[in-house]
Amino acid sequence: MSRSNRRANRGLEWGVALLLSELYRTGYDVIPPVTLATVVGQILLYIGVINVPWTQSEVCLSAAHVLKGKDYRRLLWSTFEHGDDMHLYYNMISFMVKGRTLEGKYGSANFGFLLAFLCALTSCSYVVLALIGAQIMDDPYIMKSCAIGFSGVLFALKVVTTQEDPRGYTNVAGFLVPVKYAAWAELLAINMLVPNSSFLGHLAGIVAGLIYTKTIIGRLVDNIIRNITGERIYHNYC
């Protein structure tokens, strides 16, 4: 069976149907264009409408494959692959909330470039963290572990959204935590509730978000984006 056929033969799985229903319920005209295109693109990739010359296992993010195998495509494509339909559904539902908030605040062009940057930075952070973890824990498996999905980028976006508005409390797994610590609380909660989730991938997203919001790199990125789009990104944080 060909790679494209294996995707196409999934049919309209329950998670995909739920996601399409949510898109329709929300309204395509309400979801900003970059957010909508990102969601629809990942749906089409998952069900096989977008035909790609690889399987999920061939582009999952592994530090060993990137550093030793020099397979750099994994830094990009692993982000947009998903293990199953519910993995896709929950990630895209979360992304629509964050995307509508940030794209509405920054503008579509600015948000699109920022999203691309956070995708790349999250993947690079994953590789660096895997390398450090393997050395500290003396565990070569960390270098070989493979991750796919948009979850890491969602954690990066979570950091950005909570930095923009850190006021109040939010519910994480039944506990009220300060909004500014929400990403860390979700990291621990997901690791406990979903043991097969990628702790390292989620942590990489938090690191990427902190690099953008807390270091000079974020200001440099904002300046580059402004030079490209002609529009400044305004933040509520310093």
Side-chain angles (χ1 to χ4, degrees):
M1 184 182 296
S2 70
R3 293 166 177 169
S4 59
N5 283 342
R6 274 180 289 189
R7 292 178 187 264
N9 285 345
R10 287 171 173 158
L12 189 62
E13 296 176 326
W14 181 238
V16 177
L18 285 175
L19 183 52
L20 292 174
S21 175
E22 183 63 24
L23 285 171
Y24 179 78
R25 186 190 68 81
T26 303
Y28 300 107
D29 57 333
V30 174
I31 305 172
V34 172
T35 300
L36 180 60
T38 303
V39 173
V40 172
Q42 291 188 61
I43 294 173
L44 296 178
L45 175 63
Y46 180 80
I47 64 178
V49 173
I50 296 178
N51 188 16
V52 291
W54 61 73
T55 62
Q56 293 171 337
S57 62
E58 290 173 336
V59 292
C60 64
L61 185 56
S62 156
H65 280 104
V66 172
L67 296 177
K68 296 180 181 179
K70 302 187 185 304
D71 191 356
Y72 301 119
R73 66 177 179 169
R74 292 173 183 261
L75 293 170
L76 175 62
W77 300 123
S78 61
T79 302
F80 303 107
E81 292 282 359
H82 287 85
D84 56 50
D85 58 317
M86 297 309 296
H87 186 202
L88 174 71
Y89 169 74
Y90 287 117
N91 276 356
M92 293 300 97
I93 291 296
S94 177
F95 175 63
M96 279 195 287
V97 175
K98 297 173 177 64
R100 289 174 66 184
T101 299
L102 293 178
E103 187 171 348
K105 178 176 177 57
Y106 298 156
S108 293
N110 286 344
F111 178 70
F113 283 108
L114 176 59
L115 182 62
F117 168 74
L118 290 176
C119 286
L121 184 58
T122 298
S123 293
C124 291
S125 297
Y126 178 95
V127 173
V128 172
L129 289 173
L131 182 61
I132 294 172
Q135 294 294 326
I136 293 176
M137 302 180 68
D138 193 24
D139 183 1
Y141 176 76
I142 296 176
M143 291 288 290
K144 299 177 182 177
S145 63
C146 242
I148 58 172
F150 210 66
S151 305
V153 179
L154 292 176
F155 271 86
L157 293 172
K158 181 75 172 183
V159 171
V160 177
T161 56
T162 54
Q163 288 298 314
E164 290 288 2
D165 187 5
R167 298 168 299 175
Y169 291 79
T170 186
N171 188 309
V172 178
F175 296 92
L176 286 179
V177 298
V179 166
K180 60 183 178 180
Y181 300 126
W184 294 105
E186 288 185 14
L187 174 68
L188 297 176
I190 291 176
N191 188 57
M192 290 187 293
L193 298 175
V194 189
N196 64 338
S197 63
S198 175
F199 176 85
L200 197 62
H202 298 162
L203 178 59
I206 293 178
V207 170
L210 291 174
I211 289 173
Y212 175 68
T213 58
K214 296 294 188 179
T215 74
I216 193 174
I217 293 176
R219 292 191 290 274
L220 292 174
V221 169
D222 284 353
N223 286 334
I224 292 171
I225 292 175
R226 182 179 62 180
N227 289 335
I228 295 172
T229 66
E231 299 178 6
R232 181 180 174 184
I233 294 180
Y234 291 94
H235 299 290
N236 293 335
Y237 58 86
C238 296

